[in-house]
């Protein structure tokens, strides 16, 4: 497996991980707030963090989609992955496995 070195791909991978992590934090915060009724701090902290990271993920997905020449379908799939919890990790894995996180010049003709 090739290591991802393109700066846009690295930024996308980090944003995908952070988006999933803040989603997880928000889910835990919502459990504490609505199920155990113990604290609202998790929702306050992770709600804001997730909102910011969600916007960053969307922007970085668009940038990576254009610069790495994903085409419209993979870009839309990566954007849609930000809605269900943890799906950004699946999208990142798929894009990596299909070679889309490599620089366009490094791809084989079948991956372009």
């Amino acid at each position: 497996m090739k290591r991802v070195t393109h700066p846009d791909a690295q930024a996308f991978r980090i944003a995908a991980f952070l988006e999933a992590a803040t989603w997880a934090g928000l889910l835990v915060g919502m459990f504490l707030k609505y199920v155990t009724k113990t604290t609202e701090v998790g929702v306050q902290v992770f709600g804001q963090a997730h909102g910011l990271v969600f916007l960053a993920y969307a922007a970085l997905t668009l940038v990576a989609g254009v610069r790495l020449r994903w085409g419209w379908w993979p870009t839309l799939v990566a954007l849609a992955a930000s809605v269900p919890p943890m799906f950004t990790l699946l999208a990142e894995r798929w894009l990596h496995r299909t070679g889309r996180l490599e620089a366009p010049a490094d791809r084989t003709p079948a991956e372009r």
Side-chain angles (χ1 to χ4, degrees):
M1 183 179 335
K2 285 179 108 174
R3 184 176 164 93
V4 174
T5 56
H6 194 280
D8 294 322
Q10 285 289 68
F12 172 79
R13 292 183 93 181
I14 291 167
F17 173 77
L18 290 175
E19 203 277 343
T22 58
W23 236 131
L26 183 56
L27 291 173
V28 170
M30 290 180 355
F31 178 82
L32 294 174
K33 180 178 179 178
Y34 297 111
V35 177
T36 66
K37 298 185 182 355
T38 54
T39 182
E40 294 184 13
V41 173
V43 172
Q44 292 169 351
V45 170
F46 284 104
Q48 285 186 346
H50 179 67
L52 290 172
V53 173
F54 173 84
L55 293 173
Y57 174 83
L60 288 169
T61 298
L62 292 173
V63 168
V66 169
R67 291 187 181 168
L68 297 174
R69 299 183 193 148
W70 290 349
W72 65 272
W73 180 247
T75 304
L76 286 178
V77 168
L79 286 171
S82 65
V83 178
M86 312 308 145
F87 275 45
T88 55
L89 298 177
L90 296 174
E92 183 277 329
R93 185 72 194 134
W94 172 65
L95 291 165
H96 180 68
R97 192 180 70 242
T98 58
R100 289 184 173 94
L101 293 181
E102 299 171 14
D106 296 339
R107 291 190 212 147
T108 65
E111 296 172 333
R112 291 183 191 156

